Amino acid sequence: MNELRHTTRFPSAAAEVVGALGFAPGRYGVAPRRLPDWTRRQIPDPGFDFVVGMTSGVRVAVTTGASAIELELAVIGIAPGGLALVELVVDGERLDAVSIPADEQTLLAADGSSTQERPPARVSFRLPRADRPTSSVELWLPHTTAVELVALRADAPFEPPRDTRRVWLHHGSSISQCGEASGPTRTWPAIAAARGGVSLRSLGFSGNAVGDPFVARTIRDHPAEAISIEIGINVVNGDLMRRRAFAPVLHGVLDTIREGHPATPLVVLGPIPCPSLESMPGPTVIDPATGQAASAGNVRELDRGAMSLGTVREVLHEVLSSRSDDPLLFGLDGRELLPEAEVGDLDDGLHPNAAAYERMGRRFADYAFAPGGPFSPSAAPRS
């Protein structure tokens, strides 16, 4: 590899960390976070705080004529044996991937304590030399871990990206963070964004798509030409609220988003199937004998306002119907992305596998970005 004479350390004015809305100081560099810094004191528990630092949908982006580039980063994981991938995308085309195995990651226990300390790793890529003098280069960070960004090096100068694509901001659960996807560019939102020709901002937070006000305010305040929220499964998983609370919470989320985006297409995506929760309330547990998701709830609690996924879908329909005067508000049943006939691809009974995420991304793109779809370029003016 040619000498990498051009170097910048993070945070950097020469390289944009797309999808990071804040940064936390780390031991070696800075840790990208997918919510703004002001939200941190409102995040209710360490698990959610760690998920915000997981870099699903986050990438380092530059414009450069380099033929070689190297990213130095520390990888922080929670799964022994898990792999973390950094993927290279040049001018919109995925060209390569480098894995950082678990023995090169710092690993954390559930309480946040370190069980394995590792220094930063370096991932290097060869870049094609195109006819044009510069290319758009994105290094997609692992969707399965958190990271600390240390430095970026190349054998030619680089500068921030010149990206004129529309921004699509998506919020959801683990079904949107997509830890089971085969790589960071293969989550269903990333696949849909690539097919739709838009720039993704991913607020997919495993276990934490429940209508938190600070998330709604983040969406309200972030520039976007298309917005979607996937909501329902975590409300039931955690048995977090009753039907009485869920409808006004959803109204509140939509009202808050509309304060900042009165004329932006907004899709509300309901839950995909989960057989154990379709007619049972939460909380959800994983059966240690089978590894399958199961309901630990009491069916009699449905009469007292507890919610199954069937109940969630009813409330979503009622709320969206009551807001029919909003012509840019759309509802999409999650079963359109993953039909009930495909629940065999929920390997743990809850989360889609990599093949299912691929189909979900294509289906969402066909729905949202096709001519006449909610996110087609002619759908609405920018807000």
Side-chain angles (χ1 to χ4, degrees):
M1 184 171 288
N2 297 337
E3 183 180 358
L4 304 177
R5 297 182 292 108
H6 301 272
T7 300
T8 187
R9 296 186 67 86
F10 293 97
S12 169
E16 183 178 356
V17 186
V18 181
L21 304 188
F23 293 92
R27 180 176 177 183
Y28 301 101
V30 294
R33 294 177 58 79
R34 292 180 293 138
L35 285 176
D37 295 335
W38 64 263
T39 66
R40 198 158 194 186
R41 67 179 182 179
Q42 300 186 30
I43 293 174
D45 60 69
F48 190 1
D49 190 69
F50 183 79
V51 164
V52 170
M54 298 179 79
T55 46
S56 181
V58 181
R59 59 270 190 201
V60 175
V62 296
T63 299
T64 183
S67 61
I69 197 165
E70 177 185 86
L71 179 65
E72 184 178 0
L73 74 169
V75 178
I76 302 98
I78 54 175
L83 287 178
L85 286 179
V86 176
E87 291 187 300
L88 171 68
V89 175
V90 178
D91 294 330
E93 182 181 0
R94 179 194 178 278
L95 296 182
D96 200 359
V98 173
S99 65
I100 300 112
D103 60 7
E104 296 181 20
Q105 302 175 27
T106 292
L107 298 181
L108 302 181
D111 63 2
S113 62
S114 176
T115 60
Q116 173 179 286
E117 290 280 352
R118 293 292 185 268
R122 296 187 179 193
V123 293
S124 301
F125 295 98
R126 286 283 186 183
L127 304 178
R129 295 305 298 264
D131 294 336
R132 51 189 174 276
T134 61
S135 295
S136 170
V137 176
E138 294 182 329
L139 300 177
W140 284 65
L141 302 175
H143 64 301
T144 51
T145 67
V147 307
E148 289 181 20
L149 294 173
V150 181
L152 184 70
R153 304 177 180 91
D155 64 352
F158 48 82
E159 59 185 25
R162 298 186 288 268
D163 193 345
T164 61
R165 293 175 296 174
R166 295 181 301 143
V167 171
W168 167 36
L169 191 155
H170 176 71
H171 168 52
S173 68
S174 60
I175 310 300
S176 295
Q177 184 169 324
C178 306
E180 297 76 19
S182 60
T185 66
R186 308 317 295 169
T187 68
W188 78 257
I191 291 170
R195 292 171 72 92
V198 296
S199 182
L200 173 67
R201 305 295 185 272
S202 176
L203 304 183
F205 302 130
S206 293
N208 288 284
V210 298
D212 286 307
F214 57 89
V215 175
R217 291 196 296 274
T218 296
I219 298 171
R220 176 195 66 190
D221 296 341
H222 196 284
E225 286 74 54
I227 298 171
S228 54
I229 59 172
E230 171 249 315
I231 193 166
I233 185 64
N234 291 156
V235 174
V236 178
N237 283 155
D239 192 24
L240 294 180
M241 64 184 85
R242 298 275 161 142
R243 183 170 186 154
R244 164 64 181 81
F246 183 52
V249 164
L250 184 56
H251 276 297
V253 168
L254 297 176
D255 287 344
T256 300
I257 293 171
R258 279 295 182 232
E259 289 172 2
H261 297 278
T264 301
L266 171 56
V267 172
V268 178
L269 174 61
I272 66 171
C274 178
S276 64
L277 299 175
E278 289 296 326
S279 57
M280 288 289 292
T284 304
V285 296
I286 300 297
D287 186 327
T290 65
Q292 295 291 299
S295 168
N298 184 333
V299 69
R300 291 191 295 271
E301 289 299 308
L302 293 175
D303 294 333
R304 300 183 180 93
M307 295 200 301
S308 65
L309 290 187
T311 310
V312 166
R313 295 188 185 100
E314 290 176 6
V315 175
L316 288 173
H317 177 74
E318 292 168 2
V319 168
L320 294 177
S321 296
S322 73
R323 303 176 73 101
S324 60
D325 58 338
D326 184 342
L328 293 174
L329 177 63
F330 305 89
L332 177 63
D333 191 320
R335 293 169 295 187
E336 295 294 318
L337 297 191
L338 189 79
E340 292 174 342
E342 297 177 9
V343 296
D345 277 338
L346 305 174
D347 289 350
D348 62 357
L350 176 61
H351 297 99
N353 58 28
Y357 281 134
E358 297 268 350
R359 296 194 300 274
M360 290 172 64
R362 294 193 296 269
R363 287 166 179 160
F364 188 86
D366 289 344
Y367 161 75
F369 295 107
F375 296 164
S376 62
S378 61
R382 297 188 177 199
S383 66

